[in-house]
Amino acid sequence: MRKQILLSLLFSVASLIGYSQGTPQDSTWIRDNYYKIERTIPMRDGVKLFTSMYIPKDTTGQHPILLKRTPYSCAPYGEDNWQNFAPGYLRYYLREGYIIVTQDVRGRWMSEGDFVDVRPFIKDKKPGDIDESTDTYDAIDWLVKNVPHNNGRVGVFGISYPGFYASMAAASAHPALKAVSPQAPVTDWFMGDDFHHNGAFFVMDGWSFYASFGKPRPKPTTEGPTGFEYYTKDNYKWYLETGALKNILRLTGDTIAFWKEMYQHPNRDAWWQARNARVAMYDIKPAILVVGGLFDAEDCFGAWNLYKAIRTQSPSTNSHLVMGPWYHGQWASNDGTHMGNVRFGSNTSWWYQSNIEIPFFDYYLLGKGPEPRLPAATVFFSGANEWKQFDQWPPKQAQEQTIYLQPGGVLAWSPPAQNTDFTEYISDPAHPVPYAEEVQFFRTREYMTDDQRFAQRRPDVLTFQTPVLTEDLTLAGPVIADLKVSLSSTDADFIVKVIDVFPDDFSYASQGPLPVRGHDNPSGYPMGGYEMLVHAEIMRGRFRNSFESPAPFQPGKVETVKWAVPDVAHTFKKGHRLMVQIQSTWFPLVDRNPQKFVDIYTCDDSDFTKETIRVFHDAEHPSRLILSVLK
């Protein structure tokens, strides 16, 4: 499963070449200096969770514990099985004598109990109540009392879904837990992570994940589930021909419980609100390092917003944010030099590992080195290709500045002066705008920085851009899209893309060859005039007033649709342009809105209809973007 492989990067990336004071130890060194034990750790309700522990043979000192709780398996299973246990920079922690622990969460793989997706946090617990924070507390308590030669200090980390469990660990309040790093943490699956953004269903990620991950596991097992067999390797074709969402549900019926449950909760009701990890982020005790990627297609929202919740709800917590120019988990890889066709000028992953994460855990768990002088936020700015540090995020130096859509496809800093002016397009669910130009099967990670020239050529994509910039423009914070629109029907989606248009004569040629890795950098790709996607976000129009109580549009009436694009950290260099594209389909990344006010999860193929959409840009109805500009 593609996502499962990505989410396991922290324990499966290739070796980091030339790291720190020499190359990492190979598997022979690890076997010579470590031993492995497996135990089932009892929780307070009697359920036992399968746990693997890799423990130093050195008994002359005391060792810290580094724990990852995961729904993706703590394989390899068997005390004599060490295959691919610790490649990559994780080996540094072994060299320093860390006790490395992984645990199958409740109801997954070899652990007992029933699995619940993003299990809700219980704030006011009664005797016998369990959630992921209590399971973490009980696991830590057992470890510090039973693992030999531990120093009583525990850290927890994890990427994506394991990042959610790291967030819940932070809420456990166990006194031995000293440092936690939620990395790309699943935080809110309705508002912006993975499977929904502002209520719009990211069907391709959802189905490719749950078609295997969501299959029932009636008893503990070391065998993973099989995926779904598609009849084509063209995902655009498969999702278009499969049709309405209810047709996908028929492929599994009731066998995938959470998939069915999502269909039953189309709005942000109490069921979804309970699955918002931010509700647990009060009175957090351990030091926190939240990590995420600017170009993370899965959980960019979670990193930004979990951090903001901690800073707001636990202001005295020692919390820090790192956002680099990365895809999902790239910070744990050995190559942070580029994303797709876009270069970053240095190995940003290596810089993060050696300057931030390792010193963070070393200090709080080993007591090694000076206290890390981390600012509140360490953020990489693409475009300028430089790290910046701030004492808050968004930075206090950032100022709101409004840019307006104008007639003729222009973006300008002054409001439009015309009366009754708009640009219209026909949105046809039978011919949706693709999210990427190429034909592929799985969703690409590179689409987050892909060239958008292919979309600009579509008649159902509106394009607005500034003149060539005469000075650098740096955005540092959210981009608020504030559109004035009218529809010929009763519902629509709106996607706003923030794009950096490179000069026509731009080239990386003078900067040396770019590593070719799969299809990361098609050889000789023309970068002159490249339209780099900086960030984009969708808004399901029915939720424009409330995510809890959706409402139809009144045909022909001008209405406001306003939403935030996840935070941007990017410099549009002098000689470039700022471009905005607006469209109503983004397929098959996002399911198709039938463009009628019906239940999208149960509607029929016959409900899908064309509609005419107008985006206004006149004195009475000024469509605009509110930018956070760093001066």
Side-chain angles (χ1 to χ4, degrees):
M1 182 176 62
R2 179 190 57 82
K3 184 176 176 68
Q4 182 172 332
I5 293 171
L6 290 174
L7 300 186
S8 300
L9 271 171
L10 194 55
F11 288 103
S12 63
V13 290
S15 296
L16 183 61
I17 303 301
Y19 181 77
S20 188
Q21 301 176 3
T23 58
Q25 300 91 341
D26 59 18
S27 58
T28 301
W29 184 95
I30 297 172
R31 293 295 294 266
D32 288 344
N33 290 274
Y34 272 75
Y35 65 97
K36 177 184 179 183
I37 63 173
E38 297 176 336
R39 298 291 185 269
T40 54
I41 297 179
M43 301 293 102
R44 61 192 62 187
D45 63 348
V47 169
K48 295 178 181 179
L49 304 189
F50 188 93
T51 309
S52 294
M53 289 157 272
Y54 299 83
I55 303 170
K57 293 179 180 178
D58 173 28
T59 60
T60 63
Q62 303 296 304
H63 306 283
I65 296 171
L66 194 55
L67 167 66
K68 183 180 77 167
R69 304 186 67 245
T70 178
Y72 300 126
S73 171
C74 62
Y77 295 101
E79 292 185 348
D80 293 327
N81 190 357
W82 296 58
Q83 185 178 8
N84 297 324
F85 156 60
Y89 79 105
L90 182 64
R91 297 189 183 197
Y92 172 87
Y93 294 115
L94 297 175
R95 184 167 62 216
E96 292 297 313
Y98 281 70
I99 299 165
I100 303 297
V101 179
T102 56
Q103 183 176 76
D104 290 336
V105 298
R106 181 182 291 255
R108 296 293 296 178
W109 295 87
M110 286 294 289
S111 284
E112 298 175 354
D114 297 322
F115 178 70
V116 174
D117 270 292
V118 284
R119 187 187 301 272
F121 174 77
I122 303 172
K123 182 179 180 181
D124 299 314
K125 295 180 177 64
K126 302 183 294 294
D129 283 346
I130 61 97
D131 58 18
E132 299 304 338
S133 73
T134 65
D135 280 358
T136 310
Y137 186 103
D138 295 346
I140 291 173
D141 206 56
W142 189 95
L143 291 168
V144 296
K145 291 176 180 176
N146 291 277
V147 176
H149 303 289
N150 79 82
N151 69 0
R153 297 181 183 181
V154 179
V156 177
F157 66 163
I159 296 175
S160 195
Y161 217 150
F164 164 77
Y165 294 103
S167 301
M168 294 300 103
S172 70
H174 196 287
L177 183 61
K178 304 300 182 183
V180 177
S181 183
Q183 302 180 1
V186 168
T187 299
D188 190 330
W189 268 352
F190 190 85
M191 293 305 299
D193 285 320
D194 291 298
F195 310 132
H196 293 84
H197 289 212
N198 293 317
F201 190 27
F202 273 51
V203 62
M204 181 167 54
D205 276 8
W207 176 246
S208 64
F209 182 69
Y210 270 102
S212 56
F213 179 87
K215 288 183 176 178
R217 186 227 62 169
K219 61 181 180 180
T221 181
T222 62
E223 299 295 325
T226 58
F228 180 79
E229 291 295 327
Y230 299 81
Y231 59 80
T232 175
K233 296 301 181 182
D234 180 343
N235 56 26
Y236 188 100
K237 172 183 172 69
W238 188 86
Y239 285 96
L240 192 62
E241 292 181 351
T242 302
L245 287 179
K246 74 176 187 179
N247 299 333
I248 298 180
L249 182 62
R250 290 194 185 108
L251 297 176
T252 61
D254 295 338
T255 61
I256 298 180
F258 194 75
W259 187 260
K260 179 183 177 183
E261 289 173 332
M262 285 196 295
Y263 277 55
Q264 295 168 348
H265 298 276
N267 308 323
R268 194 169 188 263
D269 56 14
W271 187 84
W272 278 117
Q273 292 172 29
R275 285 159 174 79
N276 169 14
R278 290 171 288 184
V279 302
M281 296 298 103
Y282 291 89
D283 195 27
I284 300 301
K285 301 299 184 185
I288 301 293
L289 180 66
V290 179
V291 182
L294 299 173
F295 307 115
D296 183 346
E298 282 100 324
D299 298 298
C300 181
F301 175 96
W304 288 119
N305 289 283
L306 184 81
Y307 167 77
K308 291 176 183 178
I310 294 170
R311 296 289 285 189
T312 301
Q313 298 164 189
S314 296
S316 62
T317 298
N318 180 13
S319 60
H320 309 276
L321 172 73
V322 179
M323 294 294 291
W326 301 312
Y327 58 73
H328 196 60
Q330 189 178 9
W331 53 91
S333 78
N334 67 346
D335 187 358
T337 61
H338 66 288
M339 170 69 170
N341 297 310
V342 179
R343 298 193 192 188
F344 303 130
S346 63
N347 191 336
T348 59
S349 299
W350 183 91
W351 185 89
Y352 155 74
Q353 293 158 12
S354 58
N355 288 282
I356 297 183
E357 183 188 303
I358 291 171
F360 173 80
F361 280 121
D362 276 357
Y363 177 78
Y364 290 107
L365 302 186
L366 274 175
K368 179 181 177 181
E371 182 176 2
R373 298 296 181 184
L374 291 177
T378 302
V379 180
F380 187 90
F381 281 71
S382 51
N385 286 350
E386 60 184 6
W387 290 97
K388 294 180 182 290
Q389 297 181 333
F390 304 97
D391 56 11
Q392 67 179 56
W393 186 271
K396 60 188 175 188
Q397 303 94 319
Q399 301 174 8
E400 279 194 359
Q401 195 166 336
T402 301
I403 196 163
Y404 296 89
L405 278 58
Q406 306 278 357
V410 173
L411 281 178
W413 299 107
S414 57
Q418 292 80 2
N419 294 320
T420 316
D421 204 283
F422 58 83
T423 304
E424 71 177 25
Y425 58 97
I426 296 174
S427 177
D428 184 359
H431 301 281
V433 180
Y435 81 99
E437 185 172 20
E438 299 175 347
V439 174
Q440 64 270 314
F441 183 49
F442 287 119
R443 191 262 299 141
T444 70
R445 65 192 184 200
E446 292 78 20
Y447 89 87
M448 294 289 287
T449 60
D450 268 355
D451 190 352
Q452 299 301 302
R453 282 178 283 195
F454 79 95
Q456 186 180 357
R457 301 182 183 112
R458 297 264 310 202
D460 47 359
V461 176
L462 304 186
T463 300
F464 300 84
Q465 64 180 334
T466 65
V468 173
L469 298 174
T470 57
E471 59 183 20
D472 290 356
L473 172 66
T474 297
L475 304 188
V479 173
I480 307 298
D482 183 3
L483 302 185
K484 313 302 178 184
V485 303
S486 71
L487 314 181
S488 63
S489 188
T490 52
D491 195 16
D493 291 344
F494 294 91
I495 298 99
V496 161
K497 300 175 184 174
V498 179
I499 296 166
D500 184 343
V501 182
F502 292 16
D504 287 335
D505 60 354
F506 183 88
S507 172
Y508 284 126
S510 62
Q511 302 179 30
L514 181 64
V516 176
R517 191 168 299 242
H519 57 274
D520 270 359
N521 185 56
S523 178
Y525 192 91
M527 297 302 294
Y530 193 86
E531 295 179 3
M532 172 191 170
L533 182 61
V534 174
H535 223 312
E537 190 57 285
I538 188 170
M539 181 68 189
R540 182 136 283 174
R542 63 179 57 202
F543 295 120
R544 66 199 178 281
N545 301 320
S546 168
F547 288 102
E548 293 77 27
S549 302
F553 287 80
Q554 180 179 328
K557 179 183 177 182
V558 180
E559 299 197 45
T560 296
V561 181
K562 187 175 182 179
W563 74 103
V565 175
D567 293 35
V568 170
H570 183 82
T571 296
F572 298 80
K573 299 294 288 183
K574 176 182 176 181
H576 292 226
R577 297 174 187 259
L578 167 62
M579 174 184 284
V580 172
Q581 289 180 357
I582 301 170
Q583 59 199 64
S584 289
T585 49
W586 205 16
F587 191 76
L589 191 67
V590 183
D591 72 312
R592 296 169 303 145
N593 191 320
Q595 303 185 155
K596 288 181 182 178
F597 189 72
V598 295
D599 186 336
I600 299 176
Y601 295 87
T602 61
C603 73
D604 296 317
D605 292 311
S606 59
D607 288 314
F608 288 77
T609 184
K610 292 182 184 180
E611 72 176 334
T612 300
I613 297 174
R614 292 178 173 179
V615 178
F616 288 79
H617 36 69
D618 57 41
E620 185 179 358
H621 311 106
S623 293
R624 60 183 184 155
L625 272 72
I626 304 169
L627 310 176
S628 297
V629 178
L630 189 63
K631 298 294 186 180

